[in-house]
Amino acid sequence: MSFDSLGLSKPLLEAVAEQGYDTPSAIQTKAIPVILEGKDIMAAAQTGTGKTAGFTLPLLEILSKGPKARANQVRALVLTPTRELAAQVGESVATYGKNLPLSSTVVFGGVKINPQMQKLRRGADVLVATPGRLLDLYQQNAFRFQQLEVIVFDEADRMLDMGFIHDIRKILALLPKQRQTLMFSATFSNEIRTLAKSLVKDPVEISVTPRNAAAKTVEQWIVPVDKSKKSGLLTQLIKQNDWQQVLVFSRTKHGANRLAKHLEQRNISAAAIHGNKSQGARTKALANFKSGEVRVLVATDIAARGLDIDQLPQVVNFDLPNVSEDYVHRIGRTGRAGATGQAISLVCADEVADLSGIERLTGALLERKEVAGFEPSVVLPPTRLDGRPIKPKKPKKPRNPRVEHQDGQRSSENARGNKPVGKNRRHTGGTAKSKRFAKPASSTSGNK
């Protein structure tokens, strides 16, 4: 099957061809015709399956046949859980829509809000947004939804994990009842299906990947090592194997900073991205990593969600994730679009429970390879597969008082090991605009 047979117009087909694609992926083949028919969908698709183009292309096709967005109006809304994923989707919209007279805007927290307001006042055919910043802008009358035709929920499972459920419900209350709804998620757990009842109408269900399956093109193994020797081991692996582009996952923000500094001191160019970094710093680090100026990108799970890096050869789990599903998302950064990749995990004895959880989720024991000179002094206990059914996890509840609208850096990174600074800790760097959701102070000094 070719893209020509999917019902897309010539301007879109030309844009697809310019990107070097001639055959649609499985999710694109199944989703595009259904979306063009105007039906709601619930699509289960892992990262790296082409799902972004799977909704971007038909979305642009639909919008190209209707009236353009009026001032302060939005015709299509794409919600994403993180800034990086929003930027990626926005880039996809611009790339595939280059031959169409459509406008698009991307908004997220961590950057100044005024330039985003000015763009939205001109109207946008496609608005890509994170939930928190979207609500901030709406409450400042930057746009309205009278013209809305389509809403897309990208990575709905992650939005629930990150505690966006209340924001999502607020957004739904603002939307027209007559709309097309497209929901994409890595998995459709019981929680996602409960949410879907209030979102979609008679949806077509599409699934192209088995639940919690890693790409077959990814070679996976673990290296048993003492925690104190992980940095030295990673340094040796990079130099010995001459790895030129490595994405490394750290459980905490401080750990990511320490590891990036350690590598830099050993003449390995590295940069860290996490929730405490400004959006400008994160964008620059990612751009330098893609260009090859930075050899190693050290990231936390939240910051790395939705990273789109072509032909990424190596992913290293410096720390195993506490949440087993995150392992699949992490290693999904490599082995994409049929390319081969390697996923290596550095595992100490303290992480055996996390290792067991990952192996139970994926249904396979990971091969162990010790590295000479880094044999652990505390032996990593053997693991065996647990065949009992996995109970679905409950979505996280937002902290109280509500975390400021710094999309993509909510309290879930604290849950991964960062030490909170006292009760009801807020993330730094929040915009003043978002503080109106907090309980007003009793002072009458004139604060609005």
Side-chain angles (χ1 to χ4, degrees):
M1 180 177 282
S2 67
F3 279 100
D4 294 346
S5 62
L6 295 179
L8 299 172
S9 59
K10 186 177 179 181
L12 286 171
L13 292 174
E14 289 176 349
V16 170
E18 283 184 35
Q19 296 304 306
Y21 300 121
D22 52 19
T23 304
S25 68
I27 185 64
Q28 292 161 2
T29 300
K30 292 184 178 183
I32 290 176
V34 175
I35 296 172
L36 290 178
E37 289 175 12
K39 297 178 180 177
D40 288 6
I41 67 168
M42 292 173 61
Q46 298 283 1
T47 300
T49 58
K51 68 177 174 64
T52 303
F55 65 76
T56 298
L57 289 170
L59 181 64
L60 292 169
E61 180 71 26
I62 291 169
L63 296 175
S64 68
K65 297 176 180 178
K68 284 185 62 62
R70 300 190 298 270
N72 291 92
Q73 293 294 329
V74 172
R75 296 178 62 204
L77 171 64
V78 183
L79 280 180
T80 72
T82 68
R83 306 169 187 175
E84 280 73 21
L85 185 53
Q88 176 193 321
V89 173
E91 186 178 337
S92 178
V93 170
T95 298
Y96 293 121
K98 60 184 294 186
N99 301 323
L100 295 171
L102 297 173
S103 61
S104 62
T105 300
V106 182
V107 299
F108 46 69
V111 295
K112 291 181 179 179
I113 199 169
N114 286 340
Q116 296 177 352
M117 293 178 66
Q118 291 168 5
K119 286 183 179 180
L120 284 169
R121 283 180 178 143
R122 295 193 292 267
D125 293 298
V126 182
L127 173 60
V128 185
T130 47
R133 179 51 62 94
L134 182 78
L135 287 172
D136 284 344
L137 286 161
Y138 186 87
Q139 294 189 10
Q140 295 190 49
N141 296 316
F143 64 93
R144 284 295 179 261
F145 286 125
Q146 283 94 339
Q147 255 190 294
L148 188 92
E149 301 172 41
V150 186
I151 180 169
V152 183
F153 292 87
D154 193 12
E155 300 201 356
D157 55 331
R158 195 51 152 185
M159 280 195 261
L160 289 191
D161 285 346
M162 293 171 64
F164 282 124
I165 183 62
H166 294 306
D167 281 354
I168 290 173
R169 295 199 184 283
K170 287 179 182 178
I171 292 166
L172 287 174
L174 305 174
L175 304 181
K177 299 298 182 184
Q178 294 299 319
R179 64 176 188 265
Q180 185 178 7
T181 303
L182 315 177
M183 178 180 281
F184 286 78
S185 184
T187 61
F188 279 101
S189 62
N190 293 336
E191 291 76 29
I192 292 290
R193 291 188 178 278
T194 299
L195 174 63
K197 289 179 181 179
S198 61
L199 296 178
V200 294
K201 296 178 181 178
D202 301 320
V204 175
E205 291 201 32
I206 297 171
S207 181
V208 297
T209 52
R211 183 179 180 182
N212 301 317
K216 294 180 180 178
T217 53
V218 179
E219 184 183 1
Q220 306 172 58
W221 75 89
I222 67 172
V223 182
V225 61
D226 290 336
K227 186 175 183 179
S228 61
K229 295 183 179 179
K230 283 188 177 185
S231 299
L233 172 59
L234 178 61
T235 302
Q236 177 168 307
L237 288 173
I238 292 170
K239 290 185 174 181
Q240 187 174 296
N241 296 291
D242 194 28
W243 290 343
Q244 293 302 310
Q245 191 179 44
V246 192
L247 176 60
V248 180
F249 284 96
S250 168
R251 186 177 294 171
T252 69
K253 294 175 280 191
H254 300 302
N257 287 338
R258 284 195 302 269
L259 183 56
K261 184 177 180 180
H262 170 92
L263 294 171
E264 283 281 348
Q265 291 172 342
R266 285 149 184 83
N267 298 317
I268 298 174
S269 56
I273 61 170
H274 50 68
N276 278 1
K277 294 280 187 179
S278 69
Q279 187 58 38
R282 289 159 69 166
T283 301
K284 181 180 179 181
L286 180 57
N288 290 342
F289 182 61
K290 287 184 175 182
S291 69
E293 185 176 336
V294 166
R295 193 170 171 184
V296 181
L297 187 66
V298 188
T300 55
D301 286 297
I302 296 300
R305 186 71 171 193
L307 291 185
D308 186 19
I309 304 164
D310 291 335
Q311 307 298 321
L312 178 63
Q314 279 88 29
V315 168
V316 175
N317 292 305
F318 189 81
D319 305 306
L320 287 184
N322 293 127
V323 180
S324 300
E325 286 85 353
D326 285 341
Y327 173 82
V328 176
H329 291 303
R330 287 181 178 189
I331 69 173
R333 304 296 104 197
T334 186
R336 305 180 72 169
T340 58
Q342 296 178 318
I344 304 99
S345 300
L346 313 185
V347 186
C348 65
D350 291 345
E351 296 173 296
V352 67
D354 294 326
L355 175 60
S356 294
I358 290 167
E359 292 176 331
R360 180 184 180 190
L361 181 75
T362 58
L365 294 175
L366 293 172
E367 181 183 0
R368 302 184 181 205
K369 298 181 182 180
E370 287 193 355
V371 175
F374 290 91
E375 298 88 351
S377 58
V378 181
V379 177
L380 179 65
T383 54
R384 60 186 180 87
L385 287 181
D386 186 340
R388 292 175 297 172
I390 300 175
K391 294 181 179 179
K393 63 177 187 281
K394 295 181 179 179
K396 293 180 181 177
K397 294 181 180 179
R399 296 168 75 96
N400 188 23
R402 191 177 184 281
V403 177
E404 293 185 47
H405 278 147
Q406 285 294 307
D407 305 294
Q409 62 180 64
R410 289 175 177 254
S411 58
S412 39
E413 281 197 343
N414 275 348
R416 284 175 170 80
N418 287 324
K419 186 177 180 181
V421 187
K423 269 191 169 184
N424 295 329
R425 177 180 181 266
R426 287 182 181 270
H427 288 286
T428 57
T431 61
K433 303 291 183 187
S434 59
K435 290 182 180 178
R436 63 181 165 279
F437 293 100
K439 185 177 179 181
S442 58
S443 171
T444 56
S445 59
N447 291 330
K448 195 170 180 179

